[in-house]
Amino acid sequence: MQVIETVAEMHAVRASMTGPVAVVPTLGGLHAGHEALIHAARKRAGTVVTTLFLNPTQFGQNEDLARYPANRERDLEIMRKAGVDAVFVPSVEEMYPPDDHFAVDPGPIADVLEGEHRPGHMRAVATVVAKLFNATRPDLAYFGEKDGQQLEVVTRMSRDLRFGIEIVPVPTVRDERELALSSRLAYLTDKERAAAEVVYRALCAARDHWDDGERSNVELENIMKSVIASESMATLGYAVVVDPDTFERHAETNITSGAWALIAVTIGTTRLIDNLRLN
Ligand code: PAF
């Protein structure tokens, strides 16, 4: 596995790659969810490139940048074992030179849900992903469905800015308790982990009611909220049903199209997000 630290070197290595190239961008703190992205990429692309960059701009001032569980040697070892061909590991200065001012504006989708709770986050993600795409120049890019809004932002960016990169969603990987794998699970105590199970329970409750014919957005959201409320350690951020095409909160009181349920909760000091397609 080649370890590449500069954009110039990445471009030179990329020029020597033939056939479809897939990229799997990561912040580090790798887990089985990242491995699933790499394996999915491997199935379609002859060459798999990962990126390992703990992007400081997408963390808010009071967020967990300082304690984020990234570990360069461990993360590189996981990538190596998963059969990655090359990893792009730039420094902060390489990604953000001192006179760097440009950014990608994702539009209204950046202002809701995660964007509302984490101002500037979606813009920072879109900007760094654009830079990572420009450095690695992939044909395909793999993102987890767990970060549903991020997936939507990146998909729209590639479409609207005509990047010509196919964004491939990969299903969420869950642990034995059905917790959606996330680097942030490392922050949870055993008790908090048990409490976090409420998130998937709430999503499943919405799905069960959907399967039984419930189509009221308000009802489906209330079902999720009441399950979350049953866990005293969980503080609700949001529990919403959005239209998967517009990513807007379902305005229909009687949904006739598709639906995507999304939840954010805080357990202790850890914010968790998860989602489930209802159809
Ligand atoms: O989901 C992540 O790991 C990050 O947001 C990403 C896409 C690597 C951008 O820093």
Side-chain angles (χ1 to χ4, degrees):
M1 181 176 77
Q2 282 177 283
V3 179
I4 300 161
E5 297 186 345
T6 66
V7 174
E9 198 194 338
M10 185 66 239
H11 284 168
V13 172
R14 173 66 183 90
S16 68
M17 291 171 175
T18 51
V21 173
V23 71
V24 179
T26 82
L27 287 167
L30 262 64
H31 50 67
H34 295 106
E35 290 176 74
L37 296 176
I38 295 168
H39 292 142
R42 169 66 59 226
K43 282 196 186 134
R44 276 189 61 196
T47 307
V48 178
V49 177
T50 51
T51 70
L52 179 54
F53 180 59
L54 185 56
N55 176 37
T57 64
Q58 71 185 75
F59 290 80
Q61 271 192 344
N62 299 320
E63 293 186 10
D64 56 337
L65 176 61
R67 66 168 180 156
Y68 200 81
N71 175 326
R72 181 179 157 125
E73 287 322 310
R74 181 184 166 276
D75 290 333
L76 289 179
E77 192 47 33
I78 292 174
M79 290 173 179
R80 206 170 275 124
K81 283 196 179 133
V84 169
D85 298 287
V87 52
F88 178 53
V89 197
S91 64
V92 172
E93 296 69 34
E94 182 71 7
M95 293 299 278
Y96 301 105
D99 55 350
D100 169 282
H101 297 295
F102 274 80
V104 177
D105 179 357
I109 190 175
D111 300 331
V112 296
L113 305 179
E114 287 311 286
E116 190 178 352
H117 180 83
R118 307 177 70 187
H121 173 73
M122 285 298 160
R123 178 184 160 101
V125 167
T127 302
V128 77
V129 171
K131 286 174 183 251
L132 294 169
F133 282 174
N134 286 333
T136 56
R137 299 180 175 162
D139 302 294
L140 307 155
Y142 285 72
F143 289 84
E145 286 185 344
K146 202 260 310 169
D147 295 298
Q149 191 173 2
Q150 167 175 285
L151 172 63
E152 191 62 24
V153 164
V154 172
T155 303
R156 287 177 188 208
M157 177 173 74
S158 185
R159 182 196 66 196
D160 294 355
L161 298 184
R162 306 288 191 263
F163 281 4
I165 298 168
E166 182 184 338
I167 308 299
V168 186
V170 176
T172 302
V173 178
R174 299 182 180 280
D175 71 5
E176 62 290 347
R177 288 172 142 160
E178 303 286 9
L179 302 188
L181 290 192
S182 153
S183 309
R184 293 188 167 100
L185 288 183
Y187 304 148
L188 299 180
T189 62
D190 285 348
K191 218 171 148 198
E192 287 172 339
R193 264 181 186 259
E197 290 176 31
V198 74
V199 177
Y200 191 63
R201 264 207 313 280
L203 289 168
C204 288
R207 192 189 50 196
D208 291 347
H209 281 77
W210 172 276
D211 289 346
D212 288 345
E214 180 59 76
R215 291 293 182 273
S216 156
N217 57 346
V218 178
E219 272 312 307
L220 291 164
E221 291 178 353
N222 283 343
I223 287 159
M224 293 192 284
K225 286 177 191 166
S226 70
V227 176
I228 300 289
S230 70
E231 172 50 67
S232 61
M233 291 176 78
T235 307
L236 182 70
Y238 55 76
V240 294
V241 178
V242 302
D243 182 318
D245 295 326
T246 63
F247 210 78
E248 281 165 16
R249 193 167 162 266
H250 246 301
E252 290 177 71
T253 43
N254 186 11
I255 301 169
T256 50
S257 52
W260 197 357
L262 298 106
I263 289 182
V265 297
T266 301
I267 311 252
T269 56
T270 306
R271 192 157 182 282
L272 300 172
I273 58 172
D274 199 353
N275 64 72
L276 209 56
R277 304 228 182 213
L278 298 185
N279 47 325

